[in-house]
Amino acid sequence: MSSNALSTDSLVAVIGAGAMGAGIAQVAAQAGHPVKLYDNREGASAQAIDKIGAQLEKLVARGKFTAEQREGVLSRMTPVDNIEALADAKLVVEAIVENLDVKRSVLATLEELCSDDCILASNTSSLSITSLAANAKVPGRVVGMHFFNPAPIMKLVEVVSGLATDPAVAETVYDTSLAWGKKPVYTRSTPGFIVNRVARPFYAESLRLLQEQAADCATLDALMRDAGGFRMGAFELTDLIGHDVNYAVTCSVFDAYYGDFRFQPSLIQKELVDAGRLGRKTGHGFYDYSEGAERPQAAELTSELPLKQCSIVGSAGPLMSLQERFVASGVTLTPVEADQAAFDGMFRTTDATIALTDGRMACQRAVEDGIDNLVLIDLALDYSKASRLAISWAHNTSEAAVQQVVDLLAAAGITATPMADVPGLAVMRTVAMLANEGADAVLHNVGDVAGVDLAMCAGVNYPRGPLAWADQVGVARIEAALSNLQASYGEDRYRPSLLLRRLSAQGKSFHEQ
Ligand code: NAI
């Protein structure tokens, strides 16, 4: 396929030599373009280039870059202190302060300066490309080119089209990003684009679980890491991002979607912001980072004697790799016919019946389906590797039954972590809500299935795209979990996307639609 990427002799101009602008300038120079970096703070662009030189020096010392490559990159970067110097650029990427009026005025200056075929891209993470271009003389060349921090490392570029963006311009930005070694995705100018919209439930569900005292921060973080396969849990991650920043993004997405409760900000996060506990940067967020402060440990249930036998009712379905892990760990597994559909896919020990959460509370499911000693287990990214799983149980489940489940999981080297009897546990409800948001983004043409999944993996390092994850668990199962969560809470927040319902009714997966 032919590429519409800008040729490497095209001048790329970057405006704003802050965290993002400097990184973007480095990416373009590494790809071989001459780059001019402009900032209205005197000396800021020269300083930024010096800093890039120092960082590349470290990479040379570690053998990740050659001295010639470093020299090449630096020789292609020119700091400039006046905007007129950008007149001959073919692509301008603006990465200045996140303020619509300021960005519009810089855009107006660029329109006067640059030729009509110069692409004017903005790295904005929250402003509308449509409104940015509203008064432009040639609005078709205004486009979003949204990098992620740190730009030289993070692969994703969201290529954002506003109402007037010329598709050929978006294509050139897409192909150029590819040529720069990035993973671009097309998206439309809607609040949060793909990543900052689809990621909201990752924070929101953990925050809600904490608020409901389902488990503490350390336990929920450990579950998202050790069972969910995410690099960090929501509390350690928001402590790193800064609660002021993360809370502001949530509020802006919530407001932009006219107060849709799916995006409702969290009162406990607001309280941290109010208290000035902004996370690592202030030494205190959900965790205390002061010297000598003890890091809390995740809750665990201990096993004295691993349990070496259980039965499986019907087919294990999404728990198949857990079944295989039990067998590989020396557990004797007896297959049993499913006498009722409600029991299909459950493990049994002498006392306990063990089921994957379906979005109902254990107490509710035990009563509705007539199951004694019910213990629920959470979803895992990969049951063959998970080192921890959340479990919850019904009010009438015996202590012995719970202990048998702890002992069975221990036989396979999995630590059982207790949660209160909340619907959907931790990983299942988070993944279901991520997939739901991804489904709505596809339904509303904000991105396609592959683009949504790629954006979440390349932009925020998710271990699997949420739609591919939904396909793996089963679209119908995800839809059922959401419907059950919606019924449990009586809240619109958990309403399944129409696309999820449609695929579920058609028996299709996202990747088959
Ligand atoms: P920053 O505050 O580190 O840098 C902004 C730079 O722009 C400063 O050096 C400032 O002097 C300069 N500047 C401000 N107004 C200017 C003007 N009128 N003309 C020329 N230079 C001007 O900000 P950061 O974090 O680099 O963000 C820049 C843009 O990138 C914003 O639109 C932000 O939303 C977006 N963004 C930020 C991400 C992040 O993680 N920080 C991630 C993705 C996008």
Side-chain angles (χ1 to χ4, degrees), residues 15-21 38-41 44 94-98 102-103 106 122-126 146-149:
I15 308 188
M20 293 308 293
Y38 163 68
D39 198 291
N40 68 355
R41 260 187 311 130
E94 164 277 303
I96 64 168
V97 58
E98 189 75 339
V102 182
K103 285 191 195 283
V106 167
S122 173
N123 183 50
T124 180
S125 40
S126 65
H146 185 213
F147 289 81
F148 288 72
N149 195 8

Side-chain angles (χ1 to χ4, degrees), residues 143-194:
V143 64
M145 192 175 189
H146 185 213
F147 289 81
F148 288 72
N149 195 8
I153 293 174
M154 297 305 290
K155 289 283 183 200
L156 183 67
V157 176
E158 288 181 320
V159 179
V160 189
S161 288
L163 203 54
T165 305
D166 180 346
V169 166
E171 203 177 315
T172 301
V173 169
Y174 182 99
D175 286 355
T176 302
S177 306
L178 266 184
W180 291 2
K182 295 297 175 189
K183 293 185 174 173
V185 296
Y186 287 113
T187 182
R188 286 198 307 121
S189 179
T190 48
F193 310 138
I194 296 175

Side-chain angles (χ1 to χ4, degrees), residues 254-296:
F254 177 63
D255 292 342
Y257 284 101
Y258 304 110
D260 186 331
F261 274 90
R262 274 206 320 247
F263 302 110
Q264 187 184 33
S266 157
L267 277 176
I268 44 175
Q269 190 174 32
K270 177 177 188 295
E271 196 172 20
L272 288 186
V273 175
D274 291 346
R277 291 190 181 184
L278 304 182
R280 281 179 184 265
K281 62 186 171 190
T282 60
H284 208 154
F286 283 111
Y287 298 104
D288 181 356
Y289 298 92
S290 57
E291 220 179 292
E294 231 172 86
R295 187 69 182 245

Side-chain angles (χ1 to χ4, degrees), residues 177-342:
S177 306
L178 266 184
W180 291 2
K182 295 297 175 189
K183 293 185 174 173
V185 296
Y186 287 113
T187 182
R188 286 198 307 121
S189 179
T190 48
F193 310 138
I194 296 175
V195 170
N196 278 333
R197 169 193 185 155
V198 177
R200 295 334 309 153
F202 180 77
Y203 313 108
E205 292 312 309
S206 282
L207 285 161
R208 173 168 267 209
L209 287 166
L210 181 69
Q211 191 158 343
E212 291 174 358
Q213 305 181 72
D216 59 23
C217 296
T219 302
L220 290 165
D221 276 350
L223 285 168
M224 297 315 287
R225 279 194 315 269
D226 301 346
F230 292 91
R231 288 201 188 166
M232 283 190 209
F235 304 106
E236 48 197 345
L237 181 56
T238 49
D239 269 5
L240 184 68
I241 294 170
H243 292 287
D244 49 344
V245 175
N246 187 260
Y247 179 69
V249 176
T250 304
C251 289
S252 102
V253 173
F254 177 63
D255 292 342
Y257 284 101
Y258 304 110
D260 186 331
F261 274 90
R262 274 206 320 247
F263 302 110
Q264 187 184 33
S266 157
L267 277 176
I268 44 175
Q269 190 174 32
K270 177 177 188 295
E271 196 172 20
L272 288 186
V273 175
D274 291 346
R277 291 190 181 184
L278 304 182
R280 281 179 184 265
K281 62 186 171 190
T282 60
H284 208 154
F286 283 111
Y287 298 104
D288 181 356
Y289 298 92
S290 57
E291 220 179 292
E294 231 172 86
R295 187 69 182 245
Q297 298 298 307
E300 305 182 350
L301 296 168
T302 50
S303 169
E304 307 273 297
L305 191 64
L307 183 68
K308 291 285 189 181
Q309 54 203 26
C310 72
S311 54
I312 172 75
V313 183
S315 158
L319 299 178
M320 185 53 82
S321 51
L322 182 59
Q323 171 177 330
E324 286 164 2
R325 183 165 171 177
F326 285 146
V327 173
S329 311
V331 173
T332 306
L333 196 117
T334 315
V336 182
E337 290 278 313
D339 40 9
Q340 286 178 45

Side-chain angles (χ1 to χ4, degrees), residues 156 174 183-186 194 438 441-442 446-459 464-468 471 499 510-513:
L156 183 67
Y174 182 99
K183 293 185 174 173
V185 296
Y186 287 113
I194 296 175
V442 173
V446 175
D448 59 17
V449 169
V452 165
D453 275 354
L454 176 62
M456 304 317 290
C457 294
R464 183 178 294 144
L467 301 177
D471 281 351
L499 178 58
F510 281 102
H511 290 80
E512 279 170 1
Q513 62 148 347

